[in-house]
Amino acid sequence: MSAPGAALLNRPSLSGGGKGLAMQLLLALISGGYAVGAALNWGSEEVAEIMGDFGLSAAGLLAAVSCYTYARAIDSRERPAWLLFAFSSLMGAGGNAVWGWYEVILGEAVPKPSLADFAFLCFAPPAIVGLLVLAKRPVTRAGWVCLGLDSWLIGGSLLTLSWSLALAHAARTAQSGAPGSVPRAALSLAYPLLDIALVSMVLVLHFRRSETNRSAVNTAIAALALTVLSDALFTSPLLSAGYQSGQLLDAGWFAGSLLLAYAPWGARRVHPGPEPAGHPRAGHPRAERPHSRPITGSLPALTPYLAAAVCTLGILYNVVDGRKVDRMVVFTGCTVVLALVIRQGIMLLDNIALTQELAQKENHFRSLVQGSSDVIMIAAPTGTLRYVSPAAAGVYGREAEELVGTELATLIHPDDLGRVVHEVRRFLAAPPTEEPTTRIECRFKSGGGEWLNVESTVNRHQGGLILNSRDVTERVRLQAQLQHSAEHDPLTDLPNRALFTRRVRQALTGRRAGDHSTAVLFIDLDGFKAVNDTIGHQAGDELLIEAARRLQDSVRAGDTAARLGGDEFAALILGDGSRDRSAREYQVHEIADRLRTTLSQPYRIAGSEVRVAASIGVAFADPGITPSDLMRNADLAMYRAKAGGKDRVEMYAPQMQAEVVRKAELAGRLRTALHEGEFALLHQPVVSLATGEVAAVAAQARWRSAQGILFTPAEFLRVAEYSEGGAAGGGPDASRTAELGRWLLEEAVEQAADRHRAGHDVPVAVRMTAQRLLDRAMPLGSVEALLTRHGLPSGALILELAVSDPRVPFDDLERRLTALHRLGVGIALDGFGSGYAAISALRRLPVDMLKLDRGLVEGVVESARLHKITAGLLRIANDLGMRSVADGVDLPEQVQALRAMGCTHGQGMAFSGPLDEYRLRRALVRGTFPVPGGAVQPALAGGSPGGSMAIRRGSHNETPVPPT
């Protein structure tokens, strides 16, 4: 609910207030009309008797019905009281009805006693009990005793006064012995005695009434008081002798009955809504209550003494006037004095007990305050400290006596003072019931002059404040450390990814939202993994620390340098408001190139010089770009810089994102091809360069297009290789590539087993990465189980191993390959001459065959440098007793050159392209391929049977093959 809505609900409605005022005016009008009519004797004696009897009966009946209806409508402890008020009013209505029966209907004088007297006598007791129900009940026996004593003190004093004035005459009449005098005297005594009891309860319980529906209870008490006052006037000797129905005295009873009928409804209806605590309206009674509270609080205590004074004055009046003091007056006065003495004794004992309890509590709380480790201070409304607990010496390093009398504002840090003053003023203006306490944190000056972080719980105290303070300096420091640790890299102390992202978001919002010259730089250290592998991770950490220091020193004061993880860093270059995009791009490119140069300088690590380079991607904050998109663009540019040769700066261009989308589409095509079974297996012969015999066949996967043609798109294979290498850590691309590798291995083994059973004992070579061989998703015995399931001898399988990822654990790879090698599985090192790990692989892995990289073979004829490199690698293979295979042998000149250098086998278009199963078996039946001694065309080039195709460079070009 909104604040205005809540205020509207708490405000008394104008319609309700108008209705209450109308009811009050109507009540006053009816009562005033009745009084005027009674004063004029209603115009005739008959009308006066009717209004004086049946009019009072109707008013009493109205009060009875009103109180009964209200009692039925509520569900609380007040219900019995209003039922008793209804019964009391009903008795009064019945008495007046009987009175009217005699005077109006029968035209006779009302006999004494009569049923009317019985009904009137039954008016006071229910009302007294009802008032007891509405009063607050004492909680102790002493309270009940004091309640009884207070009632007797008031009643006894009234009885003494009444007896002196009127009741003694009635008692003497009863003792005269005249006929009918005793009943009349008894009635004359009964009425005032019951009224005295009712008045006593009204006065005593007026100060003990419940807080529930106070307005209705006050109105009911006023109605009963008015009725008792009329009864007192009726029983006085001056009026009782000449009373007739319809006189002005009846107006008091009539108004009392109407006021009692009005009490539960009208009073409740005009009761104002709840006021906000602490903010009474101007002119409202609650606004005056704090000033009248001392007087109203003392009235209950003074009432018994006032009653005793009245009783004493009554006795003294008789003595001074020379009258004989009645024994009844003396007896009643003595009992009143005795009751006062007893009550005073009870109050004295209670005061002694309360004083002892207060002393115990004071000692208890004093011990708590003085022994507390928190500092408790009491500040006056002026801000001066009135009390400071002894704990101040240990917390603030200042004695409590030294702080007492000091202005609290002088102890608070100037930077925090304004905030503290604002919070204190807001707290003091808030309603106490809604906000009893508040908490303030600020810096407090200690005795040594340093500033302590202090947390204080603040309470109100006689216009001032009570502050319960504690030193939280260590907690604040710890929170600051935790916050710093959560937002900074633990190694370099640069902002981490979370803090960097938040600062990028801040740079793109607020007053910088329209500045599109802000740029984000993503930085990756090229060659850092080699540092870890060669000289250790400790040296790598030192290099990262030094690189972070260089980066931090190179950016401007308002910019942000961050470490995102690993060897990846980032920098946020805030915009300068420039509208010239090309000039800003040139400026940021210079900054990035300077960073690249700085980070590429040699590092002195562990006494040796280490060099790494830096690839940097730059992206600008285009209009409407989000922080995540801006950082993604810088990341794409950085990867483009690495792909373009590393150690360079690349600016983001929209086509980079388009390339990512295109690769994602190709990855989707790969997923579809795997699920729809669109891959086919081809084999390319591996031929002996000496004899032309087929020594093995290399299994290759091909994709079947929608037209039924098998081809190998080079871009498609690059996506697969990227998924296999770049996403080797996991993800959907890695899982799809692993699925393709499993399919290739199983299909190659199954077809090789079929050929073996057909008599073609030619081994099959399957390319496999080291990551896939060690993949946990691929069981250790999967290769062995596959050979056993299809019945292929282990010597008929060659695994062409590609070791290109420096993260491959050589220990695990060595154990796995050794186990396979013992079974007879051939191990070929694929891509020899291009990978960084070639020497380590030769030294540690059980390799049988070296497969030269295609890049060496393609330039072996044209480039003298490549010729020497290839010859050296082949010499290493021959010295180690290994066979050598040249991949991508497409030209006869390449065959001659490789054979002259000692290469033993070749694979390529110079002999044959990839063949389906039918053409492969034909080639195996033939057994050999012509080895070019000059310009000789290959025997089979993947074309139609019996023909040949033009020799093409690179076996990754699309090779049309009729569908099997």
Side-chain angles (χ1 to χ4, degrees):
M1 184 181 298
S2 65
L8 183 61
L9 288 180
N10 290 333
R11 186 180 304 159
S13 62
L14 294 179
S15 60
K19 290 180 180 179
L21 182 60
M23 291 183 64
Q24 292 176 3
L25 292 176
L26 180 61
L27 179 64
L29 184 61
I30 295 175
S31 300
Y34 190 96
V36 171
L40 298 176
N41 202 24
W42 299 102
S44 66
E45 186 177 352
E46 292 78 9
V47 176
E49 290 180 349
I50 293 174
M51 294 303 297
D53 296 332
F54 292 112
L56 293 181
S57 179
L61 184 61
L62 177 62
V65 173
S66 175
C67 292
Y68 177 77
T69 305
Y70 177 69
R72 291 288 303 273
I74 63 175
D75 185 15
S76 67
R77 62 180 294 268
E78 297 180 19
R79 174 183 288 183
W82 291 102
L83 289 175
L84 290 170
F85 291 155
F87 180 75
S88 180
S89 299
L90 184 62
M91 290 294 99
N96 284 299
V98 173
W99 199 287
W101 173 263
Y102 282 102
E103 285 190 340
V104 178
I105 304 300
L106 300 180
E108 301 176 356
V110 181
K112 293 185 179 180
S114 66
L115 291 177
D117 294 317
F118 173 78
F120 289 146
L121 291 176
C122 290
F123 173 83
I128 293 174
V129 178
L131 290 174
L132 285 172
V133 172
L134 290 178
K136 290 183 180 178
R137 299 176 181 177
V139 295
T140 62
R141 293 181 179 178
W144 284 104
V145 172
C146 288
L147 176 61
L149 292 174
D150 290 344
S151 301
W152 173 243
L153 286 171
I154 297 174
S157 63
L158 294 177
L159 178 60
T160 302
L161 187 60
S162 300
W163 191 273
S164 299
L165 297 177
L167 298 184
H169 175 72
R172 285 193 294 270
T173 302
Q175 294 174 359
S176 64
S181 61
V182 175
R184 290 190 184 95
L187 287 176
S188 299
L189 291 174
Y191 283 121
L193 289 178
L194 288 174
D195 288 339
I196 288 173
L198 184 56
V199 169
S200 301
M201 296 308 301
V202 167
L203 291 176
V204 171
L205 299 178
H206 173 70
F207 303 105
R208 293 178 175 267
R209 62 188 182 278
S210 173
E211 296 295 328
T212 308
N213 202 5
R214 295 182 58 184
S215 192
V217 175
N218 288 339
T219 306
I221 291 176
L224 295 174
L226 184 58
T227 303
V228 171
L229 178 61
S230 299
D231 288 345
L233 293 175
F234 172 74
T235 56
S236 66
L238 297 177
L239 296 180
S240 59
Y243 170 77
Q244 291 182 358
S245 297
Q247 290 183 348
L248 188 60
L249 183 59
D250 291 347
W253 286 314
F254 184 81
S257 297
L258 289 185
L259 193 59
L260 187 59
Y262 166 78
W265 306 103
R268 189 168 69 112
R269 190 169 298 173
V270 300
H271 188 274
E275 291 288 339
H279 293 278
R281 295 196 307 269
H284 192 272
R286 287 187 58 186
E288 312 299 331
R289 188 173 301 165
H291 303 286
S292 61
R293 185 170 300 166
I295 299 176
T296 57
S298 61
L299 282 178
L302 293 177
T303 300
Y305 303 99
L306 293 175
V310 170
C311 179
T312 304
L313 289 175
I315 298 175
L316 291 176
Y317 170 76
N318 286 276
V319 173
V320 172
D321 197 29
R323 299 180 183 180
K324 182 181 179 181
V325 180
D326 194 283
R327 286 180 294 178
M328 182 65 182
V329 174
V330 174
F331 176 77
T332 305
C334 292
T335 56
V336 169
V337 174
L338 179 61
L340 181 61
V341 172
I342 296 175
R343 187 183 187 280
Q344 188 67 24
I346 294 175
M347 295 300 297
L348 180 60
L349 294 176
D350 284 346
N351 289 336
I352 294 174
L354 289 175
T355 302
Q356 293 176 350
E357 183 179 359
L358 181 61
Q360 291 178 356
K361 289 184 177 180
E362 183 179 358
N363 293 332
H364 174 71
F365 285 108
R366 185 180 298 275
S367 300
L368 290 178
V369 169
Q370 294 181 351
S372 174
S373 59
D374 294 348
V375 181
I376 299 176
M377 300 181 293
I378 299 178
T382 59
T384 304
L385 293 177
R386 291 179 175 175
Y387 172 80
V388 179
S389 66
V395 176
Y396 299 146
R398 305 178 68 175
E399 295 297 332
E401 294 78 6
E402 179 185 350
L403 291 174
V404 173
T406 307
E407 291 290 336
L408 184 61
T410 62
L411 303 175
I412 300 175
H413 195 284
D415 295 341
D416 299 340
L417 183 58
R419 175 175 54 83
V420 172
V421 171
H422 174 75
E423 174 62 20
V424 169
R425 289 178 177 174
R426 184 204 63 78
F427 170 67
L428 292 177
T433 55
E434 295 181 5
E435 191 174 5
T437 63
T438 188
R439 191 179 66 176
I440 296 176
E441 287 193 19
C442 63
R443 284 167 288 179
F444 202 88
K445 192 172 185 179
S446 69
E450 66 272 10
W451 294 99
L452 304 176
N453 294 96
V454 175
E455 178 188 70
S456 300
T457 302
V458 183
N459 295 270
R460 299 173 180 86
H461 176 69
Q462 297 179 358
L465 299 173
I466 295 180
L467 298 95
N468 191 347
S469 306
R470 62 201 62 88
D471 183 8
V472 294
T473 304
E474 291 301 323
R475 190 193 72 185
V476 172
R477 290 176 182 172
L478 179 59
Q479 288 177 345
Q481 292 176 0
L482 293 176
Q483 183 72 16
H484 184 84
S485 300
E487 296 179 341
H488 290 76
D489 175 60
L491 179 64
T492 63
D493 203 39
L494 289 180
N496 58 14
R497 183 181 294 271
L499 180 56
F500 184 77
T501 303
R502 184 163 68 251
R503 292 188 178 177
V504 171
R505 183 179 297 107
Q506 293 172 354
L508 298 182
T509 56
R511 61 184 182 88
R512 294 184 174 273
D515 188 358
H516 307 309
S517 59
T518 296
V520 169
L521 280 61
F522 265 43
I523 307 164
D524 187 85
L525 299 182
D526 303 321
F528 174 73
K529 294 181 176 62
V531 174
N532 272 342
D533 291 338
T534 54
I535 60 178
H537 290 277
Q538 180 65 32
D541 290 345
E542 294 180 11
L543 189 148
L544 290 175
I545 294 173
E546 176 63 22
R549 186 191 61 78
R550 294 183 185 183
L551 180 61
Q552 183 67 47
D553 293 342
S554 300
V555 298
R556 300 174 303 179
D559 299 334
T560 301
R563 182 193 178 202
L564 305 183
D567 59 343
E568 290 188 355
F569 295 85
L572 172 64
I573 309 299
L574 297 178
D576 56 1
S578 174
R579 297 183 179 273
D580 189 349
R581 180 64 179 265
S582 60
R584 179 60 176 168
E585 287 184 356
Y586 178 78
Q587 180 184 6
V588 174
H589 191 281
E590 280 192 337
I591 294 174
D593 196 62
R594 186 170 64 251
L595 285 176
R596 180 193 63 79
T597 303
T598 301
L599 294 175
S600 301
Q601 294 296 321
Y603 294 84
R604 194 71 181 176
I605 305 297
S608 60
E609 190 176 271
V610 179
R611 289 181 177 271
V612 294
S615 296
I616 302 178
V618 182
F620 283 91
D622 295 328
I625 196 170
T626 63
S628 59
D629 290 342
L630 179 59
M631 295 173 65
R632 180 206 60 196
N633 293 345
D635 196 22
L636 291 176
M638 184 266 290
Y639 276 108
R640 174 59 64 90
K642 293 180 73 67
K646 303 180 180 180
D647 194 16
R648 57 197 303 268
V649 177
E650 189 75 33
M651 308 292 289
Y652 172 78
Q655 57 266 27
M656 295 181 184
Q657 178 62 23
E659 182 178 351
V660 172
V661 174
R662 183 161 46 88
K663 286 184 177 181
E665 293 176 352
L666 290 175
R669 291 174 60 189
L670 173 61
R671 181 177 60 252
T672 303
L674 286 171
H675 291 169
E676 299 296 332
E678 297 178 358
F679 281 92
L681 186 66
L682 301 181
H683 293 83
Q684 189 172 26
V686 179
V687 179
S688 171
L689 298 183
T691 63
E693 296 180 353
V694 179
V697 292
Q700 299 177 1
R702 292 295 184 269
W703 176 51
R704 187 189 303 275
S705 68
Q707 293 76 21
I709 299 177
L710 297 176
F711 61 91
T712 306
E715 187 176 46
F716 185 85
L717 287 182
R718 282 200 301 272
V719 172
E721 291 172 0
Y722 171 79
S723 300
E724 178 182 339
D733 293 335
S735 62
R736 286 192 292 271
T737 305
E739 185 179 351
L740 176 60
R742 286 193 295 271
W743 175 87
L744 175 63
L745 178 62
E746 185 166 357
E747 193 73 13
V749 170
E750 183 179 2
Q751 293 187 15
D754 292 339
R755 292 192 298 272
H756 184 77
R757 285 189 288 271
H760 302 293
D761 300 332
V762 180
V764 60
V766 180
R767 188 176 184 274
M768 179 177 291
T769 63
Q771 295 92 324
R772 190 184 307 155
L773 186 63
L774 297 178
D775 189 2
R776 294 182 179 180
M778 184 176 181
L780 290 178
S782 57
V783 176
E784 296 86 340
L786 194 61
L787 296 174
T788 303
R789 184 166 69 249
H790 294 288
L792 181 67
S794 57
L797 176 63
I798 300 174
L799 294 181
E800 296 180 352
L801 190 68
V803 184
S804 59
D805 194 337
R807 294 172 294 181
V808 174
F810 265 93
D811 293 337
D812 297 342
L813 183 60
E814 181 181 6
R815 286 192 294 269
R816 180 69 180 126
L817 291 179
T818 300
L820 292 174
H821 193 263
R822 288 174 180 172
L823 294 176
V825 176
I827 307 299
L829 188 61
D830 190 24
F832 188 72
S834 63
Y836 87 101
I839 302 302
S840 298
L842 284 178
R843 180 173 60 87
R844 300 182 59 180
L845 302 181
V847 179
D848 302 311
M849 183 186 305
L850 295 181
K851 195 168 187 178
L852 294 178
D853 185 73
R854 178 182 301 275
L856 296 175
V857 176
E858 287 178 351
V860 72
V861 178
E862 294 85 355
S863 173
R865 180 180 294 272
L866 288 180
H867 187 280
K868 292 181 179 180
I869 292 174
T870 304
L873 294 176
L874 290 173
R875 219 172 11 255
I876 292 174
N878 291 330
D879 292 343
L880 295 176
M882 299 179 183
R883 289 172 294 171
S884 54
V885 179
D887 188 16
V889 183
D890 298 334
L891 301 174
E893 294 85 354
Q894 295 172 345
V895 175
Q896 295 175 6
L898 290 169
R899 183 172 57 184
M901 285 185 278
C903 184
T904 59
H905 296 81
Q907 170 188 341
M909 299 299 292
F911 304 105
S912 172
L915 305 174
D916 60 8
E917 186 66 20
Y918 173 75
R919 288 173 174 76
L920 176 62
R921 294 203 178 194
R922 288 182 54 193
L924 293 178
V925 170
R926 186 171 181 176
T928 59
F929 288 91
V931 178
V936 182
Q937 297 293 332
L940 289 174
S944 57
S948 62
M949 297 180 61
I951 298 175
R952 308 167 69 182
R953 291 183 180 272
S955 60
H956 281 307
N957 292 328
E958 296 182 359
T959 307
V961 179
T964 56

